[in-house]
Amino acid sequence: MTWVLDAEIHLDAMGLGDAIKDKDKASTQDCAKALIFLRHHLDEELKTEYLTVKDPFVLWNGLKERYDNLKITSKLKLCGDNISDYDMLEKTFTTFHASNMVLQQQYREKGFTKYSQLISLLLVAERNNELQIRNQFYCTL
């Protein structure tokens, strides 16, 4: 959460805030500068994962979508509640729809010990499903 706030403030201070907030207002040069800043401050694994993203607005929203779910646990920790990875994993597994019990079991069998690993895998699976649906749609046209 602090990284997000720091990045927003820094981009605003550099006059590049529109590149992540309203890309229609940002110039091509400002978008390039904002993208350089964001990529420079990303973890190496995230740089690799978002390697093909060339729009700071798309990158920012992708990261936001990916990590927004962690805000809740961060807030609980700030309130003094101790939420373990095991608790978050169990909560996520129990939210699977009844029609996806086999899928839930498959994810459980992978033996995740970190919540972030499960969420990363679920997000990749979600993106793959979206691509398959789009491909099927375009193939039927």
Side-chain angles (χ1 to χ4, degrees):
M1 286 179 10
T2 58
W3 183 88
V4 170
L5 185 59
D6 290 346
E8 278 182 315
I9 291 169
H10 194 83
L11 288 170
D12 281 338
M14 293 178 3
L16 304 172
D18 285 339
I20 61 169
K21 295 175 187 168
D22 186 0
K23 68 178 181 177
D24 294 332
K25 289 184 179 180
S27 70
T28 305
Q29 187 176 17
D30 285 350
C31 286
K33 289 177 185 177
L35 185 62
I36 290 167
F37 173 81
L38 291 173
R39 288 191 50 78
H40 178 75
H41 291 90
L42 281 181
D43 181 77
E44 288 302 317
E45 287 183 32
L46 288 173
K47 279 184 188 179
T48 302
E49 186 170 335
Y50 291 96
L51 185 64
T52 60
V53 176
K54 295 181 179 179
D55 183 339
F57 183 80
V58 173
L59 175 61
W60 185 258
N61 286 315
L63 292 169
K64 187 176 180 182
E65 183 179 303
R66 179 181 187 145
Y67 291 106
D68 256 358
N69 55 13
L70 297 179
K71 282 184 182 179
I72 297 167
T73 56
S74 296
K75 287 179 183 176
L76 288 171
K77 287 178 183 175
L78 287 173
C79 292
D81 293 338
N82 188 15
I83 309 297
S84 69
D85 277 313
Y86 176 80
D87 294 333
M88 292 187 294
L89 287 166
E90 284 304 309
K91 181 63 177 175
T92 304
F93 290 137
T94 59
T95 61
F96 275 67
H97 191 270
S99 64
N100 290 324
M101 283 299 132
V102 172
L103 192 57
Q104 180 202 87
Q105 288 173 334
Q106 289 174 340
Y107 281 113
R108 280 185 186 275
E109 287 173 6
K110 290 192 178 284
F112 292 105
T113 57
K114 291 190 176 188
Y115 176 71
S116 60
Q117 294 170 332
L118 172 63
I119 291 300
S120 293
L121 188 64
L122 289 173
L123 289 170
V124 169
E126 182 180 45
R127 277 187 248 137
N128 288 339
N129 286 340
E130 288 172 2
L131 286 174
Q132 286 179 343
I133 290 169
R134 285 187 200 148
N135 286 339
Q136 288 175 354
F137 174 76
Y138 290 119
C139 289
T140 59
L141 293 178

